[in-house]
Amino acid sequence: GRASLMREWLRLQSRAGIDVVDESRQRQNESTGQALLRFPKRLINTLSRQRHHDYSHEVYDAMAGCLACKSCAGQCPIKVNVPQFRSQFLEVYHGRYLRPLRDYLIGHTERMLPTLATIAPVYNAVIGQRWVDALMRKGLGISDSPRLSRASVKKQLRAWGVAEATPTALARLTEQQRAQSVIVVQDAFT
């Protein structure tokens, strides 16, 4: 179904004189300055979305349900790869329309968490308010935002007698010590 929907979108784009491959190439080769110059046009397109029908919105809504698991390619006799053409479609779509605020918020989570961790009690108190939960759910489409742990990884490592694996500390290790070392890389979610 998604492949048929995509085929129809491509047909309509072609009929309108739009080369989606060229549009995709332009996005890939675009500098930050060029992207900023296109922002007003993308904003106008996004704000006028309700007034001007574009089949792209139906395709976008249909692609939102794709988990990008690639099971479709394994099950399909001709190996149609929905996640691949989904990503190419989204590149073109978001070249025309702004992303939802939720995308930017989630995309910057790892960058924001170290700062938020320093004020975890305040963050947890705010995020625990019903009105904040309702605002996030209705305004951003984010529900059940997790609370931040108040535990300090550095304090826990000291308590266990485990050295932090900084670039300087790793450079000082001998080959034998490196071979016997286990390095745990913490990400934003652990």
Side-chain angles (χ1 to χ4, degrees), residues 122-143:
V122 174
Y123 172 84
N124 291 340
V126 170
I127 211 73
Q129 300 295 313
R130 283 188 182 186
W131 67 271
V132 172
D133 185 53
L135 180 68
M136 288 182 65
R137 187 181 310 264
K138 291 177 184 161
L140 298 174
I142 297 174
S143 60

Side-chain angles (χ1 to χ4, degrees), residues 1 23 28 30 39 54 63 95 104 127 130 138-139 142 150:
E23 228 178 292
Q28 291 172 4
E30 189 171 71
F39 178 80
D54 180 355
M63 293 298 159
Y104 294 104
I127 211 73
R130 283 188 182 186
K138 291 177 184 161
I142 297 174
R150 295 176 66 184

Side-chain angles (χ1 to χ4, degrees), residues 113-178:
L113 281 177
T115 303
L116 291 174
T118 62
I119 57 165
V122 174
Y123 172 84
N124 291 340
V126 170
I127 211 73
Q129 300 295 313
R130 283 188 182 186
W131 67 271
V132 172
D133 185 53
L135 180 68
M136 288 182 65
R137 187 181 310 264
K138 291 177 184 161
L140 298 174
I142 297 174
S143 60
D144 300 324
S145 184
R147 304 279 196 298
L148 296 179
S149 172
R150 295 176 66 184
S152 167
V153 173
K154 289 185 180 188
K155 285 181 186 175
Q156 188 61 54
L157 289 175
R158 277 195 302 271
W160 288 339
V162 175
E164 186 177 358
T166 64
T168 306
L170 292 174
R172 290 184 191 146
L173 294 177
T174 66
E175 285 299 318
Q176 183 181 8
Q177 289 172 318
R178 285 184 190 164

